[in-house]
Amino acid sequence: MHKQNFRYKLFVNITVVVSIIIILTSMFYYFSTIANLNKSEQQGSKMVLESVSSQIDQLYNELDTALNSLIHNPQLKTTLQSLNSTDNKIPEIEQIHMKQIIENNLRSILFFPNISNVLLFNAKKDYFYYSGHYLKDNDYIKKELKKNDYLYSLKNNHSSIMLPPHRNQWNPSSSSVISIYKNFSGNTITKNTIIEVQASYKSLENICNHETFKNNKEIVIFDNNFNVIYPFNKDISVIKKNLIEDLKYNLEKGNANYSTSDYSYSSTYSDYTKLNIVLLSNNAHIKDQKFQFIISTIIFVSVILFTTLSIIFFITKKLSSPLQELIDYINKISLDKDTTLCIKNNNFDEFQVINESFNQMVIKLKSSMALAYESKISEVNANFTALQAQINPHFIYNTLNAISAASEIYGSEVTTKMCQELSFMMRYVTSNNYNVKLIDEINHVTNYLELMKISNGDNFNYKINIPIEAYDLIIPKLTIQPLVENCFKHAFKDSLPPWHIELICNVTKDGFLISIKDNGGGFKKSSLDDFNKFIKEYNLNESNNIYKDLKIGGLGLKNIHSRLSIFYKNNVELKIFNTDIGSEIIIKGMNEND
């Protein structure tokens, strides 16, 4: 009964874990695939939009190019000036000749593939010329010419108007067109002459229809006032009418992309035509893909789960017998007796390895207890090494900035010197020695201060006073230089130059004292309180495990205090306080007999 219970628990636990992993993996795969599907749909819509927008721009640009070529046609310009310059009736022969010249020039741009008609007219002079599709109702043209308001819509003599799809004003029985019109010129004689270039609405329709759209997608074009100008001859078909106002509302709010369960769209704005081009979708294609993917995912997960559970059941059945035997023997093991584990041979090599390894482990466990004390001693050295490894030479970044600035101001000679100083510092920082002589640390500090003096010029000076008897004093590497660097990072940040740093060391029979003074802004009260609280907690912690709270890269007073305490076995003090002119940091070491 006990074995069956264990087997049941093992099977259930493994089944739950594996099932959760499979389900979570399937859900992640599902959502990732759906996200990629939506992303792919958006990218595809964006590409289609860019293509449609580009082709529409090209269509209007074709009309604009043709229009401008006529405006700059010298023969046409000369003829129109003659036609407009006289108020007398022109002889019929000359009228015929002028008409031939004008229409021949208008006909010259019909080689553009999309242009269907070119019109040139003047309501005040009462003439109308065209070339392209035949306009059969002259009376209707004259009537429209009299009430023509093209001139009033032009802002100036050089402006042009791009018309969206509209009914052809000159032929009510013809299909819709798009067009561009403009004053023929700003010349006083011809300023009331309008030239219009038309293209068939079919040209725009061919651009906006895509074979992949079917009944799921549709191109909709809005003008600057968000009025639908395409499709012109029919309603929007892919979404219901009550959603069109919602579509306009979101476009007016500036939403270039929008999606709901009912519909989605992507839009782009053409700076050339001033049109908002929208690719509208009823999401039917996406919904079908999502549904198919859900069904296939459910089937796939079900098959995987069934197969996995069958395998788990077989494995747990095979494992339960020797594993239960192992558990029984382990429960009987006692370290104070010479008990050995002996599992019967069940054709599982792994369990035989466990049998031998467990017996060896018991022997090693007894012997390892004798090494516990030595491990405790080694922990102190490991703590120090961990803190030492946290050193992150921030001065490198400041030094490189200083070299960069100096190269622009002083030139290559000073830059060369600064690079030499930096190389000395890098050699010192990257050396394998964790403990160095005080004179080596002072030389490193001097190199850093020289770089800062070059960088700051007359705004900074320093003084170092180290007696010869202190040269061989052993200290942890990078103890003093970070404290000096902090003067530039913090103390001098909010104080005006000239700045000054003084570094003094004294050695006595009782120990040593190192002082770093500056004339900066001093420590904030909150910083002093925080540091003093840290010192108090550190001293109360007998095992000094507080070093574990220090983060890598957190080079500062707390880190330096911890390294000094480990190195000098707590026979050291680190004090910080503000003075009348700035701040002072003191490192005081005491001989062990004190």
Side-chain angles (χ1 to χ4, degrees):
M1 181 66 183
H2 185 65
K3 291 185 179 180
Q4 292 177 350
N5 187 43
F6 170 75
R7 182 184 302 172
Y8 171 76
K9 290 181 179 179
L10 181 63
F11 174 77
V12 170
N13 289 334
I14 296 177
T15 299
V16 170
V17 172
V18 173
S19 299
I20 291 174
I21 293 174
I22 292 175
I23 292 173
L24 290 178
T25 303
S26 302
M27 290 178 63
F28 174 77
Y29 176 70
Y30 169 76
F31 287 113
S32 298
T33 304
I34 293 301
N36 291 332
L37 183 65
N38 291 330
K39 184 178 180 181
S40 176
E41 183 73 12
Q42 290 179 359
Q43 290 176 345
S45 298
K46 184 177 180 181
M47 292 176 61
V48 171
L49 274 174
E50 289 176 353
S51 174
V52 170
S53 178
S54 175
Q55 292 182 63
I56 292 175
D57 287 351
Q58 291 176 8
L59 176 60
Y60 275 99
N61 183 261
E62 179 181 320
L63 302 183
D64 197 22
T65 301
L67 186 147
N68 287 319
S69 68
L70 290 175
I71 288 176
H72 294 93
N73 186 307
Q75 185 183 32
L76 184 60
K77 185 183 296 185
T78 302
T79 304
L80 289 176
Q81 286 178 347
S82 300
L83 183 63
N84 286 281
S85 60
T86 178
D87 292 328
N88 299 323
K89 186 175 181 181
I90 301 174
E92 185 176 351
I93 296 297
E94 188 174 349
Q95 287 183 21
I96 295 173
H97 179 65
M98 285 183 173
K99 179 179 180 182
Q100 289 178 342
I101 293 175
I102 292 172
E103 290 184 347
N104 285 337
N105 279 281
L106 297 181
R107 199 177 295 114
S108 67
I109 67 167
L110 291 178
F111 69 89
F112 286 96
N114 292 304
I115 294 178
S116 59
N117 251 353
V118 187
L119 309 107
L120 188 144
F121 51 88
N122 189 320
K124 293 187 177 182
K125 291 291 184 177
D126 194 29
Y127 61 76
F128 182 93
Y129 300 100
Y130 75 97
S131 182
H133 287 175
Y134 178 61
L135 303 177
K136 57 184 179 180
D137 195 339
N138 290 327
D139 292 335
Y140 181 83
I141 291 174
K142 290 181 179 180
K143 181 180 178 182
E144 287 297 314
L145 189 61
K146 290 181 180 179
K147 64 178 183 179
N148 180 266
D149 57 354
Y150 276 35
L151 285 173
Y152 300 106
S153 60
L154 292 170
K155 295 180 180 179
N156 54 62
N157 291 332
H158 302 284
S159 65
S160 60
I161 300 295
M162 295 183 182
L163 292 179
H166 60 281
R167 293 291 180 184
N168 190 351
Q169 183 176 357
W170 312 107
N171 187 358
S173 62
S174 66
S175 60
S176 303
V177 295
I178 62 172
S179 64
I180 294 181
Y181 67 88
K182 187 177 183 179
N183 272 340
F184 183 81
S185 72
N187 187 292
T188 304
I189 298 175
T190 59
K191 69 177 182 178
N192 294 323
T193 300
I194 301 296
I195 184 167
E196 180 181 2
V197 179
Q198 295 180 344
S200 172
Y201 175 78
K202 193 69 176 178
S203 300
L204 179 63
E205 197 171 41
N206 290 336
I207 293 173
C208 295
N209 286 331
H210 199 279
E211 59 182 6
T212 62
F213 287 176
K214 298 182 180 179
N215 296 322
N216 300 326
K217 297 182 179 181
E218 184 176 11
I219 291 291
V220 182
I221 303 176
F222 295 83
D223 61 16
N224 263 340
N225 296 319
F226 297 100
N227 297 313
V228 177
I229 60 172
Y230 179 88
F232 181 70
N233 296 322
K234 60 179 182 178
D235 294 329
I236 297 175
S237 60
V238 297
I239 63 174
K240 298 178 181 178
K241 290 184 178 180
N242 61 334
L243 296 176
I244 295 176
E245 292 302 319
D246 182 62
L247 168 64
K248 292 182 180 180
Y249 173 76
N250 283 290
L251 283 172
E252 290 174 356
K253 287 180 63 178
N255 295 328
N257 298 283
Y258 185 75
S259 179
T260 66
S261 58
D262 296 319
Y263 75 97
S264 62
Y265 73 79
S266 296
S267 67
T268 185
Y269 178 75
S270 171
D271 291 324
Y272 179 65
T273 60
K274 310 301 180 186
L275 299 176
N276 294 280
I277 302 168
V278 178
L279 177 55
L280 186 61
S281 173
N282 57 17
N283 294 337
H285 176 65
I286 295 293
K287 290 176 182 177
D288 289 342
Q289 286 186 307
K290 288 181 179 179
F291 178 76
Q292 293 174 7
F293 184 73
I294 290 173
I295 297 301
S296 61
T297 301
I298 292 174
I299 295 174
F300 176 77
V301 171
S302 300
V303 172
I304 293 295
L305 275 175
F306 177 78
T307 305
T308 304
L309 294 180
S310 301
I311 295 173
I312 291 173
F313 178 79
F314 175 78
I315 292 174
T316 54
K317 184 177 180 181
K318 294 288 289 183
L319 286 175
S320 60
S321 297
L323 193 58
Q324 185 63 48
E325 186 178 355
L326 174 61
I327 293 172
D328 292 339
Y329 271 100
I330 290 175
N331 290 331
K332 297 176 182 179
I333 290 294
S334 177
L335 293 176
D336 58 352
K337 298 180 181 179
D338 293 332
T339 307
T340 57
L341 178 65
C342 183
I343 300 178
K344 295 179 182 180
N345 187 358
N346 292 300
N347 297 322
F348 287 103
D349 294 338
E350 291 77 6
F351 284 104
Q352 295 303 318
V353 172
I354 292 174
N355 188 109
E356 296 175 3
S357 299
F358 186 82
N359 289 328
Q360 294 176 7
M361 181 194 69
V362 173
I363 297 172
K364 292 180 180 179
L365 182 60
K366 292 179 179 180
S367 63
S368 66
M369 293 173 69
L371 300 176
Y373 181 73
E374 296 179 16
S375 299
K376 183 65 177 179
I377 296 175
S378 300
E379 183 184 6
V380 175
N381 294 330
N383 293 348
F384 178 76
T385 302
L387 288 170
Q388 188 79 327
Q390 292 182 27
I391 294 297
N392 182 7
H394 295 291
F395 71 87
I396 294 176
Y397 308 113
N398 297 333
T399 303
L400 290 174
N401 289 333
I403 292 174
S404 176
S407 65
E408 298 181 1
I409 299 174
Y410 302 111
S412 61
E413 183 175 353
V414 173
T415 305
T416 301
K417 182 180 178 182
M418 296 179 76
C419 290
Q420 290 174 347
E421 299 287 349
L422 179 59
S423 69
F424 295 147
M425 296 171 71
M426 291 298 298
R427 188 175 294 112
Y428 177 78
V429 170
T430 57
S431 67
N432 293 327
N433 299 326
Y434 290 117
N435 308 322
V436 297
K437 293 181 179 181
L438 178 62
I439 186 61
D440 294 329
E441 180 77 5
I442 294 302
N443 289 336
H444 178 65
V445 172
T446 303
N447 288 332
Y448 176 78
L449 290 173
E450 280 299 311
L451 283 174
M452 294 299 101
K453 186 169 180 61
I454 293 173
S455 176
N456 293 280
D458 295 334
N459 290 330
F460 169 69
N461 61 79
Y462 68 91
K463 178 182 178 182
I464 298 177
N465 186 3
I466 305 295
I468 296 177
E469 56 266 29
Y471 283 7
D472 294 331
L473 179 67
I474 303 299
I475 66 171
K477 185 172 69 175
L478 292 178
T479 297
I480 301 176
Q481 186 272 331
L483 299 177
V484 173
E485 184 183 357
N486 277 340
C487 296
F488 291 93
K489 291 175 61 179
H490 302 293
F492 296 156
K493 185 170 64 173
D494 298 321
S495 63
L496 297 175
W499 303 308
H500 179 73
I501 293 176
E502 183 177 6
L503 198 159
I504 300 174
C505 179
N506 291 316
V507 178
T508 66
K509 63 179 180 178
D510 298 324
F512 66 92
L513 186 143
I514 300 173
S515 171
I516 300 103
K517 298 180 180 179
D518 65 71
N519 64 341
F523 290 94
K524 296 181 180 179
K525 184 178 183 304
S526 59
S527 299
L528 289 173
D529 293 340
D530 180 67
F531 180 75
N532 291 328
K533 180 181 178 183
F534 170 83
I535 297 297
K536 184 177 180 180
E537 292 177 353
Y538 192 97
N539 294 332
L540 290 175
N541 191 334
E542 294 181 358
S543 63
N544 293 334
N545 286 332
I546 198 170
Y547 75 96
K548 295 177 180 178
D549 293 330
L550 299 175
K551 297 180 179 179
I552 294 176
L555 180 59
L557 293 171
K558 295 179 182 179
N559 183 291
I560 293 173
H561 176 272
S562 299
R563 291 194 296 123
L564 289 171
S565 296
I566 294 174
F567 183 79
Y568 291 110
K569 300 179 181 179
N570 293 328
N571 292 312
V572 68
E573 292 181 354
L574 177 63
K575 298 181 178 180
I576 64 172
F577 50 87
N578 293 327
T579 64
D580 294 337
I581 61 172
S583 62
E584 182 176 4
I585 301 176
I586 292 178
I587 302 173
K588 183 180 180 181
M590 296 163 285
N591 295 331
E592 291 186 10
N593 56 2
D594 292 334

